[in-house]
Amino acid sequence: GGITLFPGRRFVAFYGSPITFRLGLLGEQGPQQTMERLRPHLAEYQLAGGDPVLPAFELIATVADSAPGDDNDFSNELDPAELRPWIDVITANNGYAIIDLQPGRTDFLTQAKRYEEYLKLPNVGLALDPEWRIGAENVHLRQIGTVDAAEVNTVVDWLDPKPITYQNQD
């Protein structure tokens, strides 16, 4: 076996950037309207049976770009305050928020720290998009990014510095 991260729950999520409709449903309307739009989907999944269904928003907080930007990292970072209304609405609806990072030429940890206040909340998680993590000589839409396990583990350790010990169930 493996580990069940959210035992006894299923999530139905809408995805996107809160500031543009070009990157998914979340940019098509405000947070409360998005929640209302999500409700019929939650009901549909719940009718199918199984574990309780909870709402989720996956918020693209940093967006990879083919231009370097002012900080030369080829990624545009949302101000953390722009995520607050979304996290407030999903929290009020007993749901889960996922902050999604597309880091460009910077590292995941640098970007994750930008949203630290939210990542301390029990109903907020983090998604790392390795295909948008490019090297110093790469450009988005010409090369596909990659990330090594060491960089991911740095973020994992920062998020939860407690060591994890697994017991063999034999």
Side-chain angles (χ1 to χ4, degrees), residues 62 73 101-113 126-136 145-159:
T62 66
D73 71 358
L101 304 179
Q102 300 178 358
R105 290 187 181 171
T106 193
D107 61 280
F108 283 115
L109 183 59
T110 297
Q111 285 198 334
K113 285 181 175 181
L126 185 64
L128 309 178
D129 284 347
E131 70 273 21
W132 299 109
R133 173 68 168 93
I134 57 173
T146 62
V147 66
D148 61 28
E151 183 173 330
V152 173
N153 287 337
T154 300
V155 177
V156 170
D157 291 343
W158 174 75
L159 286 169

Side-chain angles (χ1 to χ4, degrees), residues 24-79:
L25 289 172
L26 299 188
E28 293 181 5
Q29 65 280 304
Q32 190 58 50
Q33 296 84 2
T34 302
M35 189 64 229
E36 295 307 316
R37 192 171 171 186
L38 182 56
R39 283 190 202 291
H41 299 281
L42 298 168
E44 208 174 307
Y45 275 88
Q46 195 60 64
L47 281 174
D51 291 330
V53 176
L54 301 174
F57 292 157
E58 184 163 350
L59 301 151
I60 305 172
T62 66
V63 181
D65 198 335
S66 58
D70 292 340
D71 57 5
N72 204 37
D73 71 358
F74 290 79
S75 179
N76 296 304
E77 301 83 10
L78 291 182
D79 183 317

Side-chain angles (χ1 to χ4, degrees), residues 79-110:
D79 183 317
E82 293 181 87
L83 300 182
R84 173 56 71 187
W86 296 87
I87 292 170
D88 288 347
V89 165
I90 204 68
T91 299
N93 286 276
N94 299 312
Y96 197 76
I98 302 116
I99 295 174
D100 189 297
L101 304 179
Q102 300 178 358
R105 290 187 181 171
T106 193
D107 61 280
F108 283 115
L109 183 59
T110 297

